[in-house]
Amino acid sequence: IRRPPRSTLFPYPALFRSRAVPHVGDTNGYRIEHDGRSVAYIPDHQQPDDDSEVDANVIDLCCEVDLLIHDAQYTPEEFAAP
């Protein structure tokens, strides 16, 4: 049996990266780069309460990305509510 030279799911060469992003449980963000284009997906994640800085892994995945898909479920007021 001969294996195909490329993945059948992703038939073109691309760079895939994942990084842990802050959350109450294990959560990863992702970035895919191909042919000079990039997309980042940052799912449910949680920034520090003081909102003073963005997590370094989130910045790494999002820096100069062409398309950012980011979960923004709560406003600060909603998040602070019990």
Side-chain angles (χ1 to χ4, degrees), residues 10 14-17 30-34 37-41 61 65:
F10 301 104
L15 174 64
F16 294 82
R17 288 193 283 161
Y30 303 92
R31 180 180 178 129
I32 302 170
E33 298 176 20
H34 177 262
R37 310 271 181 178
S38 58
V39 60
Y41 171 55
L61 293 172
V65 74

Side-chain angles (χ1 to χ4, degrees), residues 4 8 10 15 33 41 43 45 53 71-73 75 78-79:
T8 55
F10 301 104
L15 174 64
E33 298 176 20
Y41 171 55
H45 87 288
E53 62 183 51
D71 181 344
Q73 185 171 355
T75 65
E78 291 171 330
F79 190 74

Side-chain angles (χ1 to χ4, degrees), residues 53-71:
E53 62 183 51
V54 177
D55 182 80
N57 284 344
V58 174
I59 291 174
D60 180 47
L61 293 172
C62 297
C63 186
E64 297 184 6
V65 74
D66 293 298
L67 174 64
L68 172 61
I69 304 165
H70 185 275
D71 181 344

